[in-house]
Amino acid sequence: MRIAVLALQGAFLEHQQMLQSLGVESFLIRNLEDWKEDKDGLIIPGGESTAMMRIIKDENLFESVRKAISEGLPVFGTCAGLIMLDKDHLGTMNIRAKRNAYGRQLGSFVCNELFNGLGNIPMVFIRAPYIAEVGPTVEVLSTVDGNIVAAKERNQLVTAFHPELTDNTLIHQLFLDMCE
């Protein structure tokens, strides 16, 4: 199995390290030439969604990424990756995100909360969004203080938090199971 990690900006190396700890090969996508490599799934990391959207368009990746996801390529978006998949950006997932929902950097926090099917897991929120609106085919996987922070729709998994910044591999394993 080979997982592509979008490496335009943000926490892509931490996702690569998590995949390596699970014995899974990964490679970085920085441009259209990288995108042509065979892949079983895609991770869109946290970072700054506005910058990442600009770069994905500048590198002529926007349409290729959107088409592959729409055709079934499994994708896992964390934090800014969640925002990028919503209706207002790549538009592949029937969600609408509220950006910086918990405030600025000082509003960052860590908690342990219930994740559907996985039990309580550590969640690291850094200038995090939450999901303000979900369509009828979206499965809510976790909430924190009444806000949706994880969801799944068909081949797409999103978290408002950063599982790659913990040593808990359960969510990455859930994504890898989607890629098989």
Side-chain angles (χ1 to χ4, degrees):
M1 181 179 312
R2 293 186 79 217
I3 303 298
V5 181
L6 198 62
L8 305 178
Q9 192 264 342
F12 54 87
L13 290 176
E14 290 82 353
H15 281 287
Q16 255 197 324
Q17 292 165 347
M18 182 67 77
L19 292 169
Q20 183 178 2
S21 78
L22 291 166
V24 175
E25 183 184 350
S26 65
F27 65 100
L28 301 178
I29 302 286
R30 289 193 163 97
N31 54 47
L32 193 55
E33 191 62 35
D34 296 337
W35 181 254
K36 294 175 184 171
E37 290 203 40
D38 289 336
K39 59 198 138 311
D40 298 300
L42 171 67
I43 294 177
I44 303 177
E48 212 300 304
S49 60
T50 303
M52 290 168 64
M53 284 303 296
R54 183 183 50 78
I55 297 167
I56 202 172
K57 289 175 181 173
D58 289 350
E59 292 297 329
N60 296 314
L61 283 163
F62 184 88
E63 285 303 325
S64 296
V65 169
R66 183 166 65 178
K67 182 175 187 272
I69 295 167
S70 295
E71 291 176 352
L73 179 70
V75 63
F76 175 25
T78 62
C79 198
L82 176 155
I83 294 167
M84 288 181 65
L85 293 170
D86 86 355
K87 293 183 198 181
D88 297 325
H89 296 85
L90 283 167
T92 58
M93 193 166 181
N94 195 1
I95 61 172
R96 187 157 277 127
K98 178 168 174 39
R99 294 175 50 158
N100 296 325
Y102 296 98
R104 297 189 151 308
Q105 199 76 16
L106 293 175
S108 301
F109 64 99
V110 178
C111 63
N112 279 294
E113 291 291 338
L114 188 63
F115 192 103
N116 201 19
L118 301 180
N120 276 334
I121 61 163
M123 299 179 180
V124 177
F125 292 85
I126 303 171
R127 291 180 50 220
Y130 61 70
I131 300 171
E133 181 183 310
V134 296
T137 60
V138 175
E139 177 187 1
V140 173
L141 298 173
S142 186
T143 60
V144 172
D145 297 330
N147 298 315
I148 302 168
V149 297
K152 182 178 183 283
E153 184 180 31
R154 298 178 318 275
N155 57 312
Q156 300 174 85
L157 173 66
V158 292
T159 62
F161 53 92
H162 293 270
E164 75 281 6
L165 299 181
T166 73
D167 59 1
N168 185 303
T169 61
L170 291 174
I171 295 177
H172 280 80
Q173 188 59 59
L174 175 66
F175 172 63
L176 294 174
D177 292 346
M178 291 170 57
C179 296
E180 290 182 342

